Amino acid sequence: MTDVASWSDVTRLASLTDLDFLGLPVIAAIRPMSQSLSVASGKGATLAEALTSAIMEAYEHAAAENVQPPVRMADAQEAMRNAGFADPTILPADRRTPLRAVDSPIRWVEFEQLISGGPIWVPYDLVHLRLTCEEMSRNDGFLVSTNGLAAGENYQDAVLHGLCEVIERDAIAFAMDDKGALRLDRIAPLDSTECSRVDPSIENLIAKVSSRGCSVLLNDLTHEIGVPVIHCRLCENSDTSAFVRPCDGVGCAPTPIVALRRAIFEAAQARATLISGARDDVLKRNYHITYGRALERTKARSWSDLSQGPRNKAVALEWVLDRLYSSGFPDAAAFRLDQREGAVAVRVVVPGLEGLPMSSGYVRGKRVRSERDTSVTPLSLPRGARMDRRNTSSSKRPVVFFGPTLPQDRARRIIDADFHPPAAIGNLYRAARKNHPLSY
């Protein structure tokens, strides 16, 4: 791990464990020269696990910042005509990037298709993690984030970890409402007492957290893909003298036991991160979010009802890929970012799954919009995203800004549209934000 940490430009490893009374190991890995987050975090049952976790996260970020793969230039129209390209209309878009012409060139990188084994071209924006002003000014319209970044002892472990992460973020996107809170109609509460009995390590973990004044609220977020996704919320029992607001963690794995373990440790990491205040992506508003404490408002789901995948790592990857294929996602792909002794970093992309819902640039994908009965076109689609492969047209009407020289009744005979007075500063932007497909 020392060589990996050095290559990743980690200058310091700091323990955040004793900042929180829970006492669960949390480590911060500091990278002052980072082009994305300068603080990576790790957690685990032991200090050694947390150290490894923090270094591996720093390694993932460094690998994605330094990657310089060969790129191929092709516009959205060419990509949609060529089966060797990922469909740009179902890839995560970035609302911070203006709409661009469908014939504008896009940078593409060759990935490996994990199911067929053949090549597939994926936008460069979904590979790198250079969040510099210079790089982001060249963004092609796709969401640059950490989603799908993963590292492991070998390629298969890293790919499995990356697949579980993109499935987890997809499930979160479906479970979140417009304000970032969990929708009760998309979650199923779990009985923490029953969960603690399924494995001695889980029982000890929940008992330790509970004995130190925190309630462990658990929920099943598993959705259509069928890979277990577990949510954990840690709430201090005292409402009047709470040390930290309720913190959430989510875990995804082929087996619910591993997913549950990951969720609890991630929630503990969220607490320590808020207390330390040292991580780049912790903002002032994060300290004022008021999540509801009680999510157990319906009958708890039994542990035996949860999806159960294989425990054997040798077949777990094939099982996850089979779940994706059976759910209509055949193009899962991976790119090897870096490899060195004892560590491999990859980027995993599954066309059709949601992007990182916690990102400020996140735009809801087609499946989430469809599930919420909206057929609107978001402001920041990838280039060519308005070119549906089925050539379907939007039901939204155009917006027309016009002056007094044209009577409105005459204008309505020309075009069926939403009419507005002459455009003032910001009107075009606001019209686009209301998801109208056309503006004149």
Side-chain angles (χ1 to χ4, degrees):
M1 282 293 105
T2 302
D3 291 342
V4 174
S6 177
W7 183 86
S8 305
D9 294 325
V10 173
T11 60
R12 185 162 63 95
L13 293 167
S15 176
L16 309 183
T17 307
D18 293 335
L19 296 179
D20 187 9
F21 56 71
L22 291 184
L24 298 181
V26 178
I27 299 294
I30 316 300
R31 301 177 56 237
M33 300 302 292
S34 169
Q35 298 177 67
S36 57
L37 293 176
S38 61
V39 179
S41 301
K43 65 280 187 186
T46 65
L47 183 62
E49 281 187 14
L51 281 167
T52 300
S53 174
I55 292 172
M56 291 299 254
E57 181 173 285
Y59 173 52
E60 297 167 8
H61 294 178
E65 292 167 9
N66 293 309
V67 65
Q68 295 285 352
V71 297
R72 172 179 176 179
M73 305 302 293
D75 61 34
Q77 296 180 88
E78 179 182 348
M80 297 182 72
R81 291 192 300 264
N82 191 329
F85 285 77
D87 182 352
T89 70
I90 60 173
L91 294 173
D94 192 332
R95 71 169 62 252
R96 297 164 296 190
T97 303
L99 290 172
R100 305 192 183 196
V102 295
D103 58 353
S104 296
I106 299 173
R107 297 166 295 173
W108 300 82
V109 175
E110 188 178 40
F111 274 55
E112 174 197 6
Q113 282 191 317
L114 296 170
I115 295 176
S116 70
I120 184 172
W121 293 87
V122 174
Y124 175 67
D125 291 343
L126 302 182
V127 182
H128 77 88
L129 193 63
R130 281 190 291 278
L131 303 182
T132 63
C133 293
E134 179 183 5
E135 184 61 55
M136 295 304 290
S137 68
R138 296 196 293 264
N139 184 279
D140 291 324
F142 302 93
L143 185 61
V144 178
S145 74
T146 60
N147 197 26
L149 274 183
E153 293 182 356
N154 54 59
Y155 180 69
Q156 287 73 24
D157 284 351
V159 168
L160 177 60
H161 178 63
L163 287 172
C164 288
E165 181 170 278
V166 296
I167 292 171
E168 172 192 310
R169 267 64 184 279
D170 189 72
I172 292 173
F174 275 92
M176 283 173 52
D177 64 16
D178 294 338
K179 297 181 180 179
L182 290 177
R183 299 165 52 195
L184 295 181
D185 62 321
R186 294 292 308 191
I187 66 174
L190 297 170
D191 186 340
S192 60
T193 302
E194 181 188 8
C195 292
S196 67
R197 292 196 293 262
V198 300
D199 184 88
S201 65
I202 299 296
E203 181 178 15
N204 293 336
L205 182 58
I206 293 178
K208 179 176 182 178
V209 172
S210 300
S211 68
R212 300 196 176 188
C214 268
S215 298
V216 182
L217 305 179
L218 302 173
N219 299 280
D220 180 24
L221 303 189
T222 308
H223 62 335
E224 59 183 289
I225 297 173
V227 179
V229 181
I230 306 296
H231 165 267
C232 171
R233 175 166 296 170
L234 298 182
C235 300
E236 295 181 25
N237 295 332
S238 173
D239 288 319
T240 57
S241 59
F243 189 44
V244 181
R245 66 159 175 82
C247 288
D248 290 6
V250 183
C252 176
T255 63
I257 289 178
V258 177
L260 173 58
R261 184 177 182 272
R262 289 177 179 174
I264 295 174
F265 278 114
E266 186 172 291
Q269 176 182 283
R271 283 178 55 88
T273 300
L274 279 180
I275 295 169
S276 70
R279 189 169 163 117
D280 317 43
D281 54 353
V282 175
L283 306 175
K284 184 177 180 179
R285 64 172 179 264
N286 295 125
Y287 292 90
H288 302 289
I289 297 174
T290 54
Y291 291 127
R293 291 173 55 82
L295 291 174
E296 299 176 281
R297 300 177 185 176
T298 60
K299 184 179 179 180
R301 177 173 292 175
S302 171
W303 183 266
S304 61
D305 294 333
L306 300 183
S307 175
Q308 299 280 343
R311 292 174 177 265
N312 189 337
K313 280 188 176 183
V315 296
L317 177 57
E318 293 301 321
W319 181 81
V320 171
L321 290 173
D322 181 68
R323 295 305 311 152
L324 286 167
Y325 184 84
S326 301
S327 303
F329 304 98
D331 294 328
F335 180 83
R336 196 186 302 255
L337 295 168
D338 185 76
Q339 181 170 356
R340 52 201 59 253
E341 185 176 356
V344 179
V346 302
R347 171 76 82 168
V348 170
V349 174
V350 180
L353 296 191
E354 291 293 306
L356 182 63
M358 295 77 81
S359 169
S360 60
Y362 168 69
V363 177
R364 286 175 181 163
K366 289 184 178 181
R367 290 166 48 248
V368 170
R369 298 201 310 274
S370 175
E371 189 263 349
R372 301 189 186 186
D373 294 324
T374 59
S375 58
V376 299
T377 305
L379 171 64
S380 301
L381 292 176
R383 297 173 180 173
R386 287 174 288 181
M387 299 175 51
D388 195 308
R389 289 182 184 232
R390 299 185 301 272
N391 293 321
T392 57
S393 59
S394 173
S395 61
K396 290 291 184 179
R397 296 192 302 173
V399 179
V400 176
F401 298 92
F402 73 112
T405 56
L406 179 65
Q408 190 172 130
D409 58 346
R410 182 180 174 187
R412 292 191 182 281
R413 291 196 297 270
I414 299 172
I415 184 173
D416 180 22
D418 290 336
F419 292 94
H420 297 271
I425 294 176
N427 283 3
L428 288 173
Y429 173 75
R430 282 189 287 271
R433 286 300 299 267
K434 289 182 180 178
N435 300 310
H436 290 282
L438 298 172
S439 295
Y440 293 92

